[in-house]
Amino acid sequence: GGGGGPRGGWGGWRCARAWSAMRGARATTVTVTAFPWTSRSRSTTTRMASGRTRGGTRVGAASDAASDAASSVYDAPEIYDVAFGFRDFDKEIDFLETLVREYGGLHGGGGLTSALELGAGPAWHSLACARRGIQAVALERNPAMRAYANDKKVAVEASGVKLNSMRVVDGDMRHIELPHMMAPEGGFDCVVMLLGTVAHLLTYDDAISCMTSVRKQLKPGGLFVVELEHPWDLFSGDLSEGVGDAWDRVDEERGVKVLVEWGRDGDEFDIETQVYERTVSFNLIELDGNENTKPKVLKTVEEVVPCKIYTAPEFKALARAASLAHVGTFGDMSTTMALDDEDAHNMVLVFRRDD
């Protein structure tokens, strides 16, 4: 799970699960199922000054903050969950079920009975599937994310909801190899790669390898659902200008706020490879209710994450090379949202294994 390159689990966003995941999300309060913050040894450090290494990682804290030995934003799953786990995942499973009924199957789609989530991170979609009794496998390379996803599963089961149909496994989404008896007989109804995870496939070879592997995991007529950045965002000029963004998320139950930096002004974009060296940082702030006191920074994690930008035509061509047929395009995780709708937040492409 560590190191550079694509991960079958660069966490949820897995390009922080992405611009599409955070649009319109600023200054919003969220409720997160209570999981104890992971206890780690801490030491006080000084946050590093400006300047960074391409593809490098920087972890530090302000002078009044504590920092741990996390080597990546994905090694801080508790913070990551607050920062990006604000979407309505139950509603998104409704969307997947509709897709399987309307587009799945070679002779008419049936119901959604099994799903494989690539780059699962905290396993938001797998948990939502398992609550409905759908067989769900969450593929994730980062060990901290896998442990956190399993902790979430245990916490949900402690409330009386059984999630026997869910498994969290280590794996590389470029070469998917599931443990024996983990996959359903005949293949999965649906494989998903959501919230910008695709951006960690840094080369066309990686993308074709991933989709070829996905095809092998799908049953005939099974669907592959991919979420990418919206074309309006790609062609707005922000990439070439290196424009960043930032927002915050509040978890009142834990008494903390996470300040998220998603890209920084001046980040490098390679126009030939279409790889964006995106600065991502988390600042965990303690909420004390007193606006007159200086906020206490509990932890700061910062990393430069390489993210490849894909357009719809090139991704469809890559899918064809992997023998996957394009069957649908949407502007959000909703069958009623067209790509050209003014409220479209992202681009969702749907592919099918046609034998």
Side-chain angles (χ1 to χ4, degrees):
R7 326 210 276 185
W10 267 34
W13 135 54
R14 239 31 112 322
C15 241
R17 298 231 243 185
W19 166 255
S20 60
M22 68 81 181
R23 291 175 64 170
R26 295 170 180 76
T28 306
T29 299
V30 294
T31 301
V32 182
T33 304
F35 306 107
W37 293 94
T38 303
S39 176
R40 300 185 179 95
S41 60
R42 292 181 171 180
S43 61
T44 302
T45 68
T46 300
R47 185 175 180 181
M48 298 175 66
S50 60
R52 55 191 175 82
T53 302
R54 285 175 62 91
T57 301
R58 193 166 77 217
V59 181
S63 58
D64 61 345
S67 173
D68 65 20
S71 61
S72 165
V73 292
Y74 306 110
D75 291 334
E78 304 93 339
I79 303 177
Y80 187 95
D81 197 12
V82 176
F84 298 106
F86 52 82
R87 301 201 336 190
D88 188 339
F89 298 109
D90 284 329
K91 186 176 181 180
E92 294 185 6
I93 302 307
D94 291 341
F95 169 67
L96 295 179
E97 289 187 318
T98 300
L99 289 182
V100 170
R101 286 195 305 269
E102 296 185 1
Y103 295 90
L106 297 179
H107 306 287
L112 177 61
T113 62
S114 59
L116 171 61
E117 181 181 12
L118 303 182
W124 294 305
H125 293 91
S126 293
L127 284 163
C129 280
R131 285 189 177 97
R132 304 185 185 197
I134 298 168
Q135 181 179 354
V137 176
L139 188 80
E140 172 59 57
R141 282 189 75 179
N142 185 280
M145 283 289 184
R146 290 198 307 274
Y148 185 71
N150 276 315
D151 286 344
K152 292 184 71 172
K153 177 185 176 184
V154 170
V156 171
E157 289 185 324
S159 69
V161 179
K162 294 301 180 183
L163 302 178
N164 297 330
S165 62
M166 174 183 167
R167 297 290 184 273
V168 180
V169 298
D170 183 12
D172 185 331
M173 63 184 177
R174 296 168 300 177
H175 310 285
I176 305 169
E177 297 180 2
L178 297 180
H180 182 61
M181 300 297 290
M182 184 72 69
E185 184 177 356
F188 288 92
D189 293 319
C190 187
V191 177
V192 300
M193 186 162 56
L194 304 175
L195 294 114
T197 300
V198 65
H200 293 285
L201 298 171
L202 297 179
T203 68
Y204 290 148
D205 285 344
D206 285 343
I208 292 175
S209 178
C210 173
M211 286 190 276
T212 299
S213 192
V214 164
R215 189 182 189 281
K216 293 177 181 177
Q217 296 295 328
L218 288 170
K219 72 178 185 180
L223 301 182
F224 180 39
V225 182
V226 186
E227 184 178 23
L228 302 94
E229 297 187 57
H230 196 284
W232 283 333
D233 297 327
L234 300 184
F235 299 111
S236 66
D238 286 353
L239 287 175
S240 62
E241 297 173 6
V243 177
D245 209 331
W247 68 96
D248 65 74
R249 302 293 297 169
V250 173
D251 183 347
E252 292 185 339
E253 184 173 354
R254 293 171 178 167
V256 296
K257 175 165 64 176
V258 178
L259 306 180
V260 182
E261 184 180 21
W262 175 238
R264 179 175 296 171
D265 290 1
D267 279 349
E268 299 177 32
F269 178 65
D270 189 316
I271 59 174
E272 183 175 358
T273 64
Q274 296 177 193
V275 173
Y276 183 26
E277 301 286 346
R278 182 173 271 143
T279 301
V280 181
S281 71
F282 298 151
N283 282 275
L284 183 65
I285 309 295
E286 182 180 56
L287 298 177
D288 61 7
N290 188 344
E291 296 182 355
N292 297 320
T293 61
K294 181 180 179 181
K296 182 178 181 181
V297 181
L298 302 176
K299 184 166 67 173
T300 295
V301 182
E302 184 173 303
E303 179 178 12
V304 178
V305 181
C307 299
K308 185 172 178 64
I309 305 302
Y310 288 95
T311 64
E314 65 184 329
F315 202 81
K316 291 176 185 178
L318 292 166
R320 284 197 300 271
S323 298
L324 290 171
H326 174 249
V327 295
T329 300
F330 302 93
D332 207 339
M333 296 286 283
S334 168
T335 56
T336 61
M337 182 68 69
L339 185 63
D340 60 355
D341 192 291
E342 63 179 7
D343 293 324
H345 285 175
N346 45 36
M347 177 169 61
V348 179
L349 301 179
V350 184
F351 303 93
R352 186 173 61 212
R353 174 182 171 177
D354 287 344
D355 286 1

